[in-house]
Amino acid sequence: MAEWGRGPSAGAAEDALDVENKRMADSLASKVTRLKSLALDIDKDAEEQNRYLDGMDSDLLSVTGLLTGSVKRFSSMARSGRENRRLLCSVSAGLILVFVILYYLVAKAGT
């Protein structure tokens, strides 16, 4: 029995819509694949950065320990007698001079 309103052109239109639907589904599948690989790359990059930051954290903790010990020794030397104060002033002036020279060298190398 013939269906009402469906002729040869309706079948061709259905086929065209089916082909278009398959093409769009394939396009969507390729986009989903690209997004998945991008998400995996982001995850891998985040894990690498976390490892890097953990390493920096442990390095910073060791430097903090060294600086704390140095400050304690410096403070005890500052609290001691008059002869150590002269030494303390000369060491402080020497350190300031070294930092000024390093700053000058780094600034000159940057330009």
Side-chain angles (χ1 to χ4, degrees), residues 61-83:
L61 285 175
S62 66
V63 168
T64 301
L66 286 172
L67 287 176
T68 302
S70 298
V71 167
K72 285 180 183 177
R73 286 190 295 276
F74 193 77
S75 297
S76 68
M77 187 171 33
R79 278 189 237 114
S80 64
R82 192 178 239 348
E83 65 219 26

Side-chain angles (χ1 to χ4, degrees), residues 9-67:
S9 63
E14 246 182 61
D15 289 340
L17 287 175
D18 191 38
V19 168
E20 181 70 16
N21 190 24
K22 286 180 183 177
R23 185 189 61 78
M24 290 179 84
D26 291 340
S27 173
L28 182 62
S30 69
K31 288 178 183 178
V32 167
T33 302
R34 275 188 278 154
L35 283 174
K36 183 179 177 182
S37 68
L38 183 63
L40 291 173
D41 289 343
I42 289 172
D43 182 52
K44 185 174 119 183
D45 189 40
E47 287 176 1
E48 288 174 4
Q49 289 178 5
N50 282 338
R51 278 194 298 273
Y52 178 72
L53 289 174
D54 287 341
M56 282 182 57
D57 185 39
S58 65
D59 291 344
L60 188 60
L61 285 175
S62 66
V63 168
T64 301
L66 286 172
L67 287 176

